[in-house]
Amino acid sequence: MDTLEQNPVHKDDYAPEALEPSPVQEEYAPVIFAQDTIAHVISVNVLSGKEDRENVLRARESGKGVLTAPFRLLKTNRLGVILTFAVYKRDLPSNTTPNERIQATDGYLGGVFDVESLVEKLLQQLASKQTVIVHVYDTTNRTHPIAMYGSNESGDFFYHVSTLNFGDPFRKHEMHCRFKQKPPWPWVAITTSIGILVIALLVGYIFHATVNRIAKVEDDYREMMELKKRAEAADVAKSQFLATVSHEIRTPMNGVLGMLHMLMDTDLDVTQQEYVRTAQESGKALVSLINEVLDQAKIEFGKLELEAVLFDIRAILDDVLSLFSEKSQGKRVELAVYVSDHVPELLIGDPGRFRQIITNLMGNSIKFTDKGHIFVTIHLVEEVVRSIEVDKESNSENTLSGSPVADSRRSWEGFKAFSQEGPLGSFSSPSNDHVNLIVSVEDTGEGIPLESQPLIFTPFMQVGSSISRKHGGTGIGLSISKCLVGLMNGEIGFVSIPKIGSTFTFTAVFTNGHRSSSECKIQQINNQPQSASSEFEGMTALIIDPRSVRAEVSGYHIQRLGIHVEMVSDLKQGLSTISNGNVVVNMVLIEQEVWDRDLGLSSHFVNNTRRIDHGVPPKLFILVNSSSSFKASVNLGVHNPTVITKPLRASMLAASLQRAMGVQNKGAPHRELQSLSLRHLLRGRKILIVDDNGVNRAVAAGALKKYGADVVCVSSGKDAISSLKPPHQFDACFMDIQMPEMDGFEATKRIREMEDSVNREVSMDDFENITNWHVPILAMTADVIQATHEECLRCGMDGYVSKPFEAEQLYREVSRFFQSS
């Protein structure tokens, strides 16, 4: 091609307008791009000639490269050939028919080869002492070969014939070589022939390598696209799998938890209430396990968000204690919770996520602790900051059980809240509604091996294979907890000493809750400890416990019931306090450690309290970690006190004191008052429940009737459309999403279309001055992925309630659409 490059065709040498126009044809293939050296061929129709047309069409139908017959190149007037490839719009399989290839053709790619320049270039590289004459022929037609290079041969000279392959199996080419002067020696002829053969092979190899390179690039691109499709499909499959598993488990769990909640509203005794409450919390724990797996997926996609609702932090801790009380009693491990009096009673934040963090940390502590204690404390950050200067030294044995623990201060020493740069001034500002809490979970368990501590917050991390086999677990609880703490604008840290124990500490920022809202009033109505506090108002309890930390914990729970608390360290001091008459003691709570230390002294204490001449003798209670551990004391013949099994919780403690003190159990009247207080909230409201599951319909209907609503239930989307056809009397609708025949999405779309049609065509006088029909429709489903929530809003729904739901949740969502009267 050097000759072409040295003698380019300039625009002034070539006038395209002088050429003859292409005849009218059904199909054209004009040249739209060419190298500068052959730019003169642009706009030439390669289908204008008969032979050119046949070659192009053959390339299109076969999918292979096709060579033209030798012809004179424009302007240069030298012999050349064109190698043509068809370009398709899409990838075609190997068994594609010619018609399919024709339909998929997008264009053509051609390469022009100046045969004379190519051969001369190769001959120069193989120059020898003797001149070699080369002739190249197109022998496709054996009877009429076409000379492509060189003059006609003379039969008087010896010549060597070689076959040339330019990549087109239809075209045949030969190269004839001879010496110009005389026949060369045989070895020279052989060498020359081999050289020329190598040249021919190289030329063929160049074409072959080019085709293979193009094919490889296309194969790599197809493989890349296939891998991309597989990755996208795997991502969709993962989301669908999580949504399906969540839905299939949440649906029956909604029935279980809903029926238990309705059972709590019936006339149960104290023991039955405790059983039902424990069953509820166990069901919620199962749901939380499902949520952990979903949370990990949400964290990976960055779609985890927090709620902002009113909650009682002390009630949440009581619920968590109920979950782990049986395990702690079985291990005889002391389990306790203490919340500072400075922590507000009500906070605004995400109670579910806060509970999840506490449950994860306490679950790990229960799992790895076989003796000693597990102690959860909650203070304001301000309290801890102020106590740093006062409490310079820490006694590791002044603990709940007396066992040594890891110094909790080391778990938060790196927190920004405790550094000099931290915003400490904002904590004490009375006008600031933000509440900064610091929560510590302390245990006396196995501790974390030093080599595992740097990776403790890594997802699916287990501290060791042997421990993993012994205790089980997914290993994602701590990583999720760290993410949740970060969303709460807090920090998390830990200190752990092998064979001593671990202390995990985290901070969280909430908003101070105020009692002025209607939601707060509902919280008060459902607050069980408050109902019991009036029964014990004015009473005094004496706690006898040598351990100050443990005595403060017992006093914290008793004070929640409205009882005044006095504390002493032994039975002698207790008897002195009761005898002097300065304080009328109504009940005495003795730690089992004190009672079992000297049974004779314990008997003497009981007898002397019974001989007190001022008023009724106080009731005696023994605080034990396990009820079975106190049986030996019962058989000693002394007056049997009432046994209270720890961990202490407000509801359980109130029930035990009610039975022993003879205080009237006001649980049933309280439930009647609660029912009366709630029934006016949705009185006069008619609500439609749409769900194909009968249990879920019953649960939702029972929850809304609790608030005084008039509830109608249907089982399909078609029935919902019929019920909500204007005019109707419904004020709201709870719509399940996954239903047979017609799902909630489709039903909602048709309801909205029906409302829009009525609003456009009917005047307001036809429907009692209703100017705009739009019934609030709230999705009610077990799917909790963000995509489902977004689809609910797109199809016209007004809200979203996830299963399993509670009565307060349904009321809170539907009450947003009702004007307060």
Side-chain angles (χ1 to χ4, degrees):
M1 304 297 290
D2 290 346
T3 304
L4 291 178
E5 296 173 358
Q6 294 169 5
N7 300 288
V9 179
H10 301 287
K11 292 184 178 180
D12 54 350
D13 298 332
Y14 182 72
E17 60 272 13
L19 297 177
E20 295 181 1
S22 176
V24 178
Q25 298 178 358
E26 294 182 357
E27 186 177 4
Y28 296 89
V31 178
I32 62 174
F33 175 80
Q35 278 182 286
D36 292 339
T37 56
I38 55 173
H40 55 277
V41 301
I42 292 178
S43 76
V44 173
N45 181 19
V46 298
L47 295 180
S48 58
K50 178 180 179 182
E51 184 176 359
D52 293 338
R53 179 181 181 85
E54 291 177 354
N55 289 334
V56 171
L57 296 181
R58 185 158 54 89
R60 180 174 67 183
E61 294 176 359
S62 64
K64 299 178 180 179
V66 174
L67 276 176
T68 63
F71 65 96
R72 294 291 175 180
L73 299 176
L74 293 176
K75 305 305 289 182
T76 60
N77 203 30
R78 299 166 69 97
L79 279 177
V81 293
I82 298 178
L83 180 62
T84 305
F85 291 88
V87 180
Y88 300 103
K89 299 177 182 177
R90 61 182 183 274
D91 295 332
L92 299 177
S94 58
N95 58 351
T96 305
T97 63
N99 288 335
E100 291 175 343
R101 292 186 180 275
I102 292 172
Q103 295 297 324
T105 301
D106 198 22
Y108 306 92
L109 178 66
V112 180
F113 297 92
D114 185 340
V115 178
E116 296 181 22
S117 298
L118 183 64
V119 174
E120 289 173 0
K121 184 71 174 179
L122 295 176
L123 290 177
Q124 291 175 5
Q125 296 178 0
L126 296 176
S128 62
K129 295 181 179 179
Q130 298 190 38
T131 302
V132 177
I133 297 177
V134 178
H135 301 270
V136 179
Y137 297 94
D138 184 339
T139 59
T140 303
N141 186 348
R142 280 286 182 181
T143 58
H144 297 88
I146 302 174
M148 299 176 64
Y149 180 83
S151 58
N152 292 331
E153 294 179 359
S154 173
D156 298 335
F157 298 94
F158 170 80
Y159 63 90
H160 179 76
V161 179
S162 300
T163 301
L164 296 179
N165 181 12
F166 288 91
D168 186 352
F170 181 80
R171 287 284 175 185
K172 309 297 181 182
H173 300 84
E174 290 182 357
M175 182 168 60
H176 298 187
C177 305
R178 66 177 177 83
F179 289 108
K180 184 177 182 180
Q181 301 295 335
K182 57 182 179 181
W185 294 101
W187 65 271
V188 176
I190 294 173
T191 303
T192 303
S193 300
I194 293 176
I196 296 176
L197 178 62
V198 170
I199 293 173
L201 293 176
L202 288 175
V203 172
Y205 177 77
I206 290 173
F207 284 105
H208 180 71
T210 302
V211 174
N212 286 345
R213 180 60 180 173
I214 295 173
K216 186 177 185 306
V217 171
E218 293 177 348
D219 291 340
D220 291 343
Y221 175 76
R222 284 193 294 268
E223 183 179 0
M224 180 185 69
M225 295 304 297
E226 181 66 23
L227 293 176
K228 180 176 179 291
K229 292 178 181 178
R230 291 181 182 178
E232 293 173 349
D235 185 32
V236 173
K238 177 182 177 181
S239 299
Q240 292 177 344
F241 172 76
L242 292 176
T244 301
V245 170
S246 172
H247 182 274
E248 294 303 322
I249 297 180
R250 283 173 177 271
T251 298
M253 284 306 302
N254 182 64
V256 173
L257 295 178
M259 289 300 178
L260 288 173
H261 190 81
M262 296 170 65
L263 183 61
M264 282 293 294
D265 293 333
T266 61
D267 189 10
L268 303 176
D269 59 31
V270 175
T271 302
Q272 290 171 333
Q273 289 182 26
E274 187 67 20
Y275 290 161
V276 174
R277 191 177 295 109
T278 302
Q280 280 183 314
E281 299 309 322
S282 299
K284 292 177 181 178
L286 176 58
V287 175
S288 68
L289 179 61
I290 303 168
N291 291 338
E292 279 192 352
V293 179
L294 294 174
D295 288 344
Q296 185 63 34
K298 290 180 180 178
I299 290 172
E300 293 175 358
F301 291 105
K303 295 184 178 180
L304 193 62
E305 298 177 353
L306 297 183
E307 293 182 332
V309 298
L310 196 69
F311 69 97
D312 184 349
I313 193 171
R314 292 170 177 83
I316 286 181
L317 290 174
D318 282 350
D319 292 341
V320 176
L321 284 178
S322 299
L323 286 177
F324 299 110
S325 60
E326 183 177 354
K327 289 184 179 180
S328 65
Q329 292 169 7
K331 290 186 172 185
R332 297 188 179 181
V333 173
E334 185 143 4
L335 180 62
V337 165
Y338 176 81
V339 180
S340 169
D341 294 337
H342 297 284
V343 176
E345 183 177 354
L346 295 174
L347 300 173
I348 297 176
D350 194 327
R353 297 303 185 183
F354 180 78
R355 171 196 172 101
Q356 184 177 355
I357 299 172
I358 297 293
T359 302
N360 283 336
L361 297 180
M362 290 186 64
N364 287 337
S365 295
I366 285 286
K367 191 186 304 181
F368 297 109
T369 302
D370 296 323
K371 62 180 180 179
H373 69 268
I374 299 169
F375 189 25
V376 181
T377 60
I378 300 181
H379 295 84
L380 295 180
V381 171
E382 177 190 358
E383 292 182 76
V384 179
V385 171
R386 290 176 177 174
S387 66
I388 292 176
E389 297 298 330
V390 178
D391 186 16
K392 290 290 186 180
E393 296 182 359
S394 176
N395 184 3
S396 63
E397 296 187 359
N398 184 21
T399 61
L400 187 69
S401 64
S403 301
V405 297
D407 187 359
S408 62
R409 291 181 297 185
R410 291 174 51 197
S411 64
W412 46 257
E413 60 186 2
F415 287 1
K416 295 179 181 178
F418 298 95
S419 64
Q420 294 181 354
E421 295 80 5
L424 300 181
S426 62
F427 298 154
S428 58
S429 175
S431 61
N432 194 346
D433 283 340
H434 286 174
V435 178
N436 297 267
L437 300 183
I438 179 169
V439 184
S440 292
V441 179
E442 172 186 284
D443 67 58
T444 57
E446 301 176 6
I448 304 172
L450 297 178
E451 63 274 11
S452 300
Q453 292 185 12
L455 303 175
I456 199 64
F457 292 111
T458 304
F460 305 103
M461 166 64 187
Q462 297 283 4
V463 296
S465 58
S466 61
I467 296 178
S468 174
R469 288 194 299 268
K470 179 180 177 181
H471 299 286
T474 60
I476 61 177
L478 288 178
S479 65
I480 293 175
S481 297
K482 184 176 182 180
C483 176
L484 294 177
V485 169
L487 293 176
M488 295 179 183
N489 298 319
E491 300 170 274
I492 188 170
F494 73 96
V495 58
S496 183
I497 303 176
K499 308 301 181 183
I500 296 295
S502 305
T503 299
F504 281 80
T505 302
F506 69 92
T507 59
V509 179
F510 297 100
T511 303
N512 194 353
H514 300 287
R515 292 188 174 276
S516 59
S517 64
S518 59
E519 187 175 359
C520 179
K521 294 177 183 178
I522 297 173
Q523 186 81 11
Q524 285 181 315
I525 292 173
N526 294 323
N527 194 346
Q528 294 179 356
Q530 288 184 354
S531 66
S533 63
S534 60
E535 303 168 5
F536 303 103
E537 188 174 354
M539 293 187 179
T540 300
L542 177 64
I543 298 177
I544 304 177
D545 192 337
R547 300 194 181 280
S548 59
V549 175
R550 188 167 55 192
E552 288 181 10
V553 172
S554 301
Y556 153 72
H557 289 285
I558 296 172
Q559 287 173 343
R560 292 175 64 191
L561 303 179
I563 303 173
H564 177 71
V565 175
E566 297 286 338
M567 300 181 187
V568 295
S569 61
D570 56 42
L571 293 176
K572 291 182 180 180
Q573 294 180 17
L575 186 59
S576 175
T577 302
I578 297 173
S579 301
N580 60 27
N582 294 333
V583 179
V584 178
V585 178
N586 304 98
M587 61 192 77
V588 180
L589 294 91
I590 307 173
E591 185 65 33
Q592 182 182 4
E593 176 186 343
V594 178
W595 182 267
D596 292 341
R597 185 180 299 166
D598 188 342
L599 294 179
L601 182 59
S602 301
S603 178
H604 174 73
F605 177 82
V606 173
N607 293 331
N608 279 275
T609 55
R610 304 181 88 186
R611 289 196 291 267
I612 294 177
D613 55 1
H614 52 273
V616 181
K619 292 291 183 180
L620 299 182
F621 300 88
I622 305 298
L623 303 177
V624 301
N625 289 328
S626 176
S627 58
S628 60
S629 65
F630 191 68
K631 292 180 180 179
S633 301
V634 174
N635 297 326
L636 294 177
V638 300
H639 176 71
N640 291 341
T642 301
V643 176
I644 298 178
T645 305
K646 294 186 285 186
L648 299 180
R649 305 181 298 282
S651 59
M652 179 272 295
L653 185 59
S656 299
L657 295 181
Q658 285 172 350
R659 286 196 297 263
M661 301 290 295
V663 178
Q664 181 181 1
N665 185 357
K666 300 180 181 179
H670 171 61
R671 283 193 297 272
E672 294 175 3
L673 175 62
Q674 174 181 339
S675 178
L676 292 175
S677 302
L678 294 176
R679 282 191 180 277
H680 77 280
L681 296 176
L682 293 179
R683 182 181 301 165
R685 301 296 185 180
K686 191 172 183 180
I687 300 177
L688 180 67
I689 303 294
V690 186
D691 199 315
D692 62 308
N693 188 294
V695 176
N696 289 333
R697 290 198 302 270
V699 170
L704 293 172
K705 288 178 180 178
K706 178 179 177 181
Y707 292 92
D710 181 13
V711 180
V712 177
C713 297
V714 296
S715 59
S716 68
K718 293 181 179 179
D719 293 339
I721 295 175
S722 300
S723 300
L724 295 178
K725 181 178 181 181
H728 60 76
Q729 302 299 321
F730 290 101
D731 298 290
C733 172
F734 283 94
M735 178 84 68
D736 186 29
I737 291 181
Q738 294 191 6
M739 294 184 292
E741 296 185 13
M742 181 183 295
D743 59 21
F745 295 140
E746 181 64 25
T748 301
K749 290 178 182 178
R750 295 194 183 184
I751 292 171
R752 296 305 183 211
E753 292 173 356
M754 187 169 53
E755 291 174 341
D756 292 341
S757 176
V758 171
N759 291 336
R760 288 193 304 267
E761 299 175 0
V762 181
S763 65
M764 65 180 181
D765 295 332
D766 297 334
F767 294 123
E768 299 179 356
N769 295 327
I770 297 179
T771 59
N772 184 37
W773 284 95
H774 182 92
V775 61
I777 299 178
L778 295 98
M780 187 173 59
T781 181
D783 291 338
V784 293
I785 58 176
Q786 184 69 19
T788 303
H789 190 186
E790 295 171 354
E791 180 63 24
C792 291
L793 300 179
R794 280 196 297 269
C795 74
M797 293 183 174
D798 301 282
Y800 185 95
V801 177
S802 61
K803 300 176 185 176
F805 48 75
E806 296 182 356
E808 293 83 357
Q809 185 181 4
L810 294 182
Y811 167 75
R812 184 171 59 248
E813 290 297 325
V814 76
S815 62
R816 295 188 293 112
F817 302 97
F818 300 150
Q819 297 179 355
S820 58
S821 55

